[in-house]
Amino acid sequence: SDRYTHPDREWSGPWFTLGRLEMGTTEVVTGLGLVSFLVLAIAPSLAGVLALNPASVVRGAVWQVATWPLANLPSLWTLLSLAMFWYFGRELEREVGRSRWAAWLGIVTLGSGVLALLAAALVGGGSIGGISTLATLVMVLFIAEHPQLKFWFGIPAWLIGIVLVALPLLQLLAARAWLDLVHLLLGLVVAAVAARSIGLTFSQSLSQVLLPQAFRGAVAPLVSTYIALIKNTTVAAVIGVNLVMMKLA
């Protein structure tokens, strides 16, 4: 676990231990995520209590600004997200220390949640929940710190980071999930600011490499889709007009 650690940064150790298991900030959050996964498997209705819902927050459920990453409904993707959060979060925590890592997670969770609440007034309601967004931000942060690291089959980390940003953008655009889309974008911004405050270089890599490439990859298919839609609509309109004219004749 020391493969990626910067030599000038020291691992401050876990908060506590459970038997032989060291419980740092990442392990605590991952453990809470697993507990919520199991609890929601038994009582899925509790997800509405944990997920961030702007209408519920207005009515007094202010805790949802902090608990939205724990609204983990059982699925394979949730388990993969928890594993991704644990692996890359653990590496980053060993680079910056448990306290600064806890501060980064807190700032990103609360900051993106509050900004999403404000954005809900413009893009509409809905709810936000689950560890997947936070896991994506953690992995993108790790990649921004180690852009030249080789992943599977020699693929550079920065390319995987672009895919990690572009794919959710495309999925949320296609689903017209505007609140989730805004939450992800705001999360990237908050993550960059928070990373800079704890001595990481995420903001520079994000602004110069990951986001420009991700937007380039997301915008082109979206424009092509709309062009095809306009063409198809035009053809259908022409055919419809011709059929009407033939009937009138």
Side-chain angles (χ1 to χ4, degrees), residues 48-239:
V49 178
L50 298 172
L52 178 61
N53 186 297
S56 297
V57 174
V58 171
R59 291 195 296 266
V62 293
W63 62 83
Q64 294 180 352
V65 176
T67 61
W68 61 265
L70 300 179
N72 292 304
L73 289 170
S75 70
L76 178 60
W77 177 242
T78 298
L79 286 177
L80 291 175
S81 296
L82 284 167
M84 184 168 67
F85 174 86
W86 169 76
Y87 181 83
F88 293 102
R90 183 186 58 171
E91 299 296 341
L92 287 166
E93 184 173 357
R94 278 153 177 73
E95 292 190 18
V96 302
R98 65 188 186 192
S99 298
R100 289 197 291 174
W101 183 237
W104 185 87
L105 288 174
I107 292 171
V108 171
T109 300
L110 296 174
S112 63
V114 170
L115 291 176
L117 284 177
L118 298 176
L122 299 175
V123 300
S127 61
I128 297 168
I131 196 72
S132 59
T133 297
L134 194 57
T136 299
L137 294 176
V138 168
M139 189 171 182
V140 171
L141 173 60
F142 176 84
I143 289 171
E145 280 291 290
H146 308 278
Q148 301 306 321
L149 187 70
K150 300 297 182 183
F151 275 74
W152 313 280
F153 308 109
I155 300 174
W158 62 265
L159 182 57
I160 293 178
I162 291 170
V163 173
L164 279 174
V165 176
L167 276 181
L169 287 176
L170 285 171
Q171 291 173 342
L172 295 173
L173 281 169
R176 303 295 189 269
W178 303 120
L179 184 59
D180 293 273
L181 177 63
V182 170
H183 182 236
L184 176 59
L185 293 175
L186 291 175
L188 288 167
V189 174
V190 174
V193 174
R196 187 172 183 179
S197 70
I198 63 172
L200 297 178
T201 58
F202 180 49
S203 56
Q204 182 178 357
S205 298
L206 182 69
S207 62
Q208 295 181 2
V209 180
L210 297 180
L211 273 185
Q213 294 292 339
F215 276 115
R216 191 173 298 127
V219 169
L222 186 64
V223 171
S224 298
T225 300
Y226 277 114
I227 291 175
L229 180 62
I230 292 172
K231 286 182 177 178
N232 293 337
T233 303
T234 304
V235 170
V238 170
I239 293 174

